[in-house]
Amino acid sequence: MLSGSIEVAKRDPLGHTSAITTHGPGELTGEISQLAGGPSLAQGRAGAQGAEAVPFDSAQLRTLVVSTAEIGETIMRAFILRRVFLIESGAGLVLLGKGAAPDTVRLQNFLRRNGVPYTLLDPEEKSDAAHLIERLGITKAELPLAVCPDGTLLRSPRERALARCLGLLPRFLADRSYDVAVVGAGPAGLATAVYAASEGLSVLVLDARAFGGQAGASARIENYLGFPTGISGEALAGRAYTQAQKFGAVMAIPAELRLLKSGPDREHADKLGFELDLDEGAPVHASAVVIASGARYRKLDLPNLSSFEGRGVYYWASAIEAKLCARREVVVVGGGNSAGQGTVYLASEVAKVHLLVRGRSLSEGMSQYLVDRINALPNAKVHTETELTQLIGAPNEDLQAVCWRERANSKEERHEIRHVFMFVGAVPNTDWLRRCAVGVDDDGFVATGESPDRCTATHAGGERTALSLETTLHGVFAVGDVRAGSVKRVSAAVGEGAAVASQLHAYLRELTAGAP
């Protein structure tokens, strides 16, 4: 701002307007969405005396942030704090619907996991919301209703429609070729984006759900280097996501990769590398591909499991789920760190947590600091050598009860518990690779470093070094939990994301030189 002022405010669908702040001379407007050229989540207007300002587009803004460290730090800090304020104040998108409804929970998780500010108006709790739904003629089948910042109404939308309305999906992905396409925005994918983009490569990141992966749903990570008091997975992933955008990485969420094709085709003979067919829109092209699609929790072999997903069965524990089961008993299934973190977090919100573990002790698969903390919780009970055997309730209704069996007595016990959190093992997200020439092991994890004749690069001194993160398809790399033999830890995934950047440079030099 040069002179005058700009008044920033938020407006909800009920017609309420509230001031956020006023920017005067010497101050900067905007927040995180401006780094990627996204739409504003609030509205601004010139003050009574008018306004004179210098505009920056997203590319100019990123140049300013990167080229001048002190100014960049000030701007990034301001942008991050403004986004936090927008989230806490409920600016941005508005959801109207029953808070406990599965579709409402699903959309809330999508928004929260992607750091999008929103407000939930439950018509059963707020009469204004009920009157608005009635006035608009919205039926129960059309709920939840989403009201975007630009005033667009979406009836019972899918995540993609929300993302498009919020500007999370860039409109012209196929208009350019990228040096690197990263499939997956978990810790490994985000680290790849940060290091590759900061070294001058053009980077596209694709993810089918949200940034952060499984780690993004962790309530608190306490053994990550440099954070002695711990950090939530959401906060860690959010910082990495913003950092990647600072260096110019293009984020497309949700965008699902259906097929990976190698080599130029007739239509794009000038584009070397790979063609990526997405679930929607034209294919995109990249010279190299990094597979960082991570893993997902296994699903127990229970016949009616799918009918209770979102209705009492959950695969992560966030503030949204904690609110649904506050002051009640819950079950957590699993013996790894994710189950431990979920237990510790839920214990502070619920009446009692039953942790079901198949092994003989928690120490078999969980970090000792989590074991000690769980053992010290007064409202957590650990059931070792125990399996969940039944989910009880009517189809398409909420879960009513569960049964589990302890191996010692083989007796099945029924408990009137209506909330179950499952953190059971890891299954690689590699179904989309079935039609691609990328090798996987018997468990579906991506094999790397198995073709020494192809997985090599020549350094300036003439020495040839194995590219251990390259897959069986030359130019395609794998990092993080999806890679066979990887250490399933956030820090290890970040390390592989950093390491692959140098290997990408070596491959791209080879590609540019026209090597076979």
Side-chain angles (χ1 to χ4, degrees), residues 237-324:
R239 294 181 184 190
Y241 178 75
T242 300
Q243 194 173 16
Q245 289 182 307
K246 166 185 170 180
F247 291 116
V250 177
M251 302 288 180
I253 302 174
E256 185 173 356
L257 180 58
R258 294 291 179 83
L259 184 62
L260 175 65
K261 303 176 184 177
S262 60
D265 56 27
R266 293 180 181 178
E267 185 178 353
H268 301 93
D270 60 324
K271 296 181 178 179
L272 299 175
F274 302 89
E275 180 179 279
L276 295 83
D277 288 344
L278 306 181
D279 53 348
E280 185 177 289
V284 297
H285 296 83
S287 299
V289 175
V290 176
I291 300 171
S293 48
R296 61 185 184 275
Y297 293 115
R298 284 193 178 95
K299 295 187 177 182
L300 295 180
D301 187 16
L302 299 173
N304 56 350
L305 175 63
S306 61
S307 65
F308 294 118
E309 292 176 333
R311 297 180 178 275
V313 172
Y314 312 100
Y315 297 97
W316 49 76
S318 72
I320 297 169
E321 289 77 27
K323 182 179 179 181
L324 296 177

Side-chain angles (χ1 to χ4, degrees), residues 24-274:
E27 296 183 344
L28 183 80
T29 68
E31 54 93 42
I32 288 297
S33 61
Q34 271 65 66
L35 284 175
S40 176
L41 298 176
Q43 61 183 15
R45 63 182 182 184
Q49 303 302 317
E52 183 183 6
V54 178
F56 288 80
D57 63 24
S58 58
Q60 294 168 334
L61 180 61
R62 290 195 300 271
T63 299
L64 177 63
V65 167
V66 173
S67 62
T68 311
E70 291 182 359
I71 294 177
E73 180 183 355
T74 300
I75 292 174
M76 291 301 296
R77 185 183 299 276
F79 278 8
I80 291 170
L81 291 175
R82 288 174 185 177
R83 174 55 68 94
V84 171
F85 172 80
L86 291 175
I87 291 174
E88 292 177 347
S89 64
L93 183 136
V94 176
L95 281 178
L96 287 90
K98 185 178 178 182
D103 284 340
T104 306
V105 172
R106 170 177 56 83
L107 294 180
Q108 285 189 87
N109 272 308
F110 173 76
L111 294 169
R112 181 182 178 88
R113 292 286 304 276
N114 285 293
V116 178
Y118 74 94
T119 298
L120 174 65
L121 299 178
D122 191 329
E124 295 185 358
E125 298 178 1
K126 294 185 179 293
S127 59
D128 284 352
H131 293 156
L132 177 63
I133 291 172
E134 182 179 354
R135 187 167 71 246
L136 294 175
I138 305 298
T139 65
K140 288 185 177 181
E142 294 176 308
L143 293 177
L145 178 73
V147 186
C148 296
D150 64 0
T152 302
L153 295 177
L154 301 175
R155 292 170 168 80
S156 189
R158 303 299 300 178
E159 286 87 337
R160 182 175 300 280
L162 275 185
R164 192 177 295 110
C165 189
L166 293 165
L168 297 180
L169 276 174
R171 296 181 180 275
F172 305 109
L173 290 178
D175 286 2
R176 57 179 288 197
S177 291
Y178 300 86
D179 292 325
V180 184
V182 182
V183 185
L190 291 173
T192 301
V194 168
Y195 284 96
S198 67
E199 294 176 9
L201 300 181
S202 59
V203 180
L204 170 66
V205 181
L206 307 167
D207 198 284
R209 292 183 180 85
F211 64 78
Q214 282 187 349
S218 297
R220 182 166 295 275
I221 303 171
E222 296 192 54
N223 58 352
Y224 190 80
L225 186 67
F227 293 91
T229 60
I231 184 172
S232 72
E234 181 181 340
L236 183 65
R239 294 181 184 190
Y241 178 75
T242 300
Q243 194 173 16
Q245 289 182 307
K246 166 185 170 180
F247 291 116
V250 177
M251 302 288 180
I253 302 174
E256 185 173 356
L257 180 58
R258 294 291 179 83
L259 184 62
L260 175 65
K261 303 176 184 177
S262 60
D265 56 27
R266 293 180 181 178
E267 185 178 353
H268 301 93
D270 60 324
K271 296 181 178 179
L272 299 175
F274 302 89

Side-chain angles (χ1 to χ4, degrees), residues 356-376:
L356 310 188
V357 185
R358 294 183 63 180
R360 295 181 179 180
S361 71
L362 286 181
S363 299
E364 291 182 4
M366 191 178 296
S367 295
Q368 191 60 43
Y369 82 93
L370 284 172
V371 175
D372 294 341
R373 187 161 298 172
I374 290 171
N375 288 335

